Amino acid sequence: MKARRLGAVAVAAALAVTMAACGSGNGGGSGSSGGKGLKIGIKFDQPGLGLKKGSEFTGMDVDVAKYVAKSLGTNEGDITWVQAPSAQRETLISTGQVDMVVATYSITDKRKEKVSFAGPYFIAGQDLLVRSDDNSITGPESLAGKKLCSVTGSTSAQKVQEKVPGVNLQQFGTYSECVAALASGAIDAVTTDDAILAGYAAQDQYKGKLKLVGKPFSTEKYGIGIKKGDTALCQKITDAIKKMISDGSWQKAVDNNLGPAGYKPRPGNPPTPDACS
């Protein structure tokens, strides 16, 4: 009997160790640090905004996300970064795979039907990226018959199709694929927000080879997407954005991440966060 009791104790101890190991995780998240972890969706391939290089994450969106997370009581080490491609952002939020998305996420009425937004924290404008030796494209009006690339699920693709019905639109999964195709001559132009395009043009492999047309033709208000109807969280995030702007952290993030590309924020920046929507 004594041997049996000792065996049962040993099994229970082993089970407890196993369960503890399973619950420890490997990068924060909602289950770690007493429930203080956060899963935040960002872009992994947008230099200056959201970029993953090895185990390091950098960019304007990343800095905004870190600031907001800290205001909510979550340290940087307790953030789990999740890749959030444009076409998957609403799904990631609605299914609970992320707590929020900070990924050049333009606030639109259509998106507000599925998710709530806090912000905006930045205002960009849609522009065109072309090869440096191409002077034939001067704006959307000169795109008829041209091969234009944008990303599936982005507002950029929809707007250009409406504006220029004759454009040959090709939609890829990521902007980095579009930019590579542009550099190789496979397409004629890439369209998305000017801040995103400036980051790509500033990359070492594209310096001197690509240029922005420099005529923004839309207003894109970047917001932080969260689960539809979570007004309490939305208000806390909006308050954090207001504080980031007022204490100088916002300007520092802009200078550090977008300054190297020679990008100057368009009028309206820094924005005034609206009521939660």
Side-chain angles (χ1 to χ4, degrees), residues 9-24:
V9 170
V11 170
L15 183 59
V17 171
T18 301
M19 290 178 72
C22 289
S24 63

Side-chain angles (χ1 to χ4, degrees), residues 6 18 20 29 38 42 44 56 66 77 91 110 115 119 140 184 200 204 214 235 241 255 276:
L6 287 172
T18 301
L38 284 173
I42 58 169
F44 278 15
E56 186 180 5
K66 288 177 182 177
T91 300
K110 186 175 181 180
V115 302
S184 70
Y200 283 116
D204 290 340
Q235 190 58 58
I241 295 170
D255 293 343
C276 294

Side-chain angles (χ1 to χ4, degrees), residues 24-66:
S24 63
N26 61 358
S30 293
S32 67
S33 300
K36 292 184 180 178
L38 284 173
K39 294 174 289 185
I40 302 179
I42 58 169
K43 294 294 179 67
F44 278 15
D45 68 331
Q46 290 182 354
L49 290 158
L51 184 67
K52 180 180 187 291
K53 197 170 184 179
S55 59
E56 186 180 5
F57 299 89
T58 60
M60 173 77 179
D61 286 347
V62 174
D63 285 352
V64 170
K66 288 177 182 177

Side-chain angles (χ1 to χ4, degrees), residues 90-222:
E90 285 86 18
T91 300
L92 288 170
I93 294 169
S94 63
T95 58
Q97 295 179 64
V98 298
D99 298 300
M100 66 183 73
V101 167
V102 192
T104 59
Y105 203 4
S106 296
I107 301 171
T108 68
D109 289 338
K110 186 175 181 180
R111 287 171 176 165
K112 285 194 286 186
E113 293 174 3
K114 297 180 180 179
V115 302
S116 290
F117 283 100
Y121 63 88
F122 191 78
I123 298 176
Q126 187 174 347
D127 205 341
L128 299 167
L129 187 69
V130 298
R131 287 182 291 279
S132 295
D133 59 358
D134 185 353
N135 297 314
S136 66
I137 298 175
T138 56
E141 67 285 346
S142 56
L143 286 173
K146 300 285 188 178
K147 292 179 181 178
L148 177 71
C149 191
S150 196
V151 167
T152 305
S154 69
T155 55
S156 303
Q158 299 162 12
K159 286 180 180 176
V160 171
Q161 271 187 313
E162 293 167 3
K163 210 173 185 80
V164 191
V167 71
N168 181 2
L169 182 65
Q170 300 185 20
Q171 299 186 61
F172 291 177
T174 63
Y175 290 115
S176 54
E177 293 176 76
C178 284
V179 175
L182 174 63
S184 70
I187 60 163
D188 300 308
V190 178
T191 188
T192 186
D193 304 342
D194 50 5
I196 298 172
L197 297 176
Y200 283 116
Q203 284 188 297
D204 290 340
Q205 68 265 43
Y206 299 129
K207 277 183 180 176
K209 299 177 182 177
L210 305 176
K211 66 180 181 181
L212 264 74
V213 170
K215 294 181 180 178
F217 50 93
S218 75
T219 298
E220 307 297 331
K221 296 181 177 181
Y222 291 169

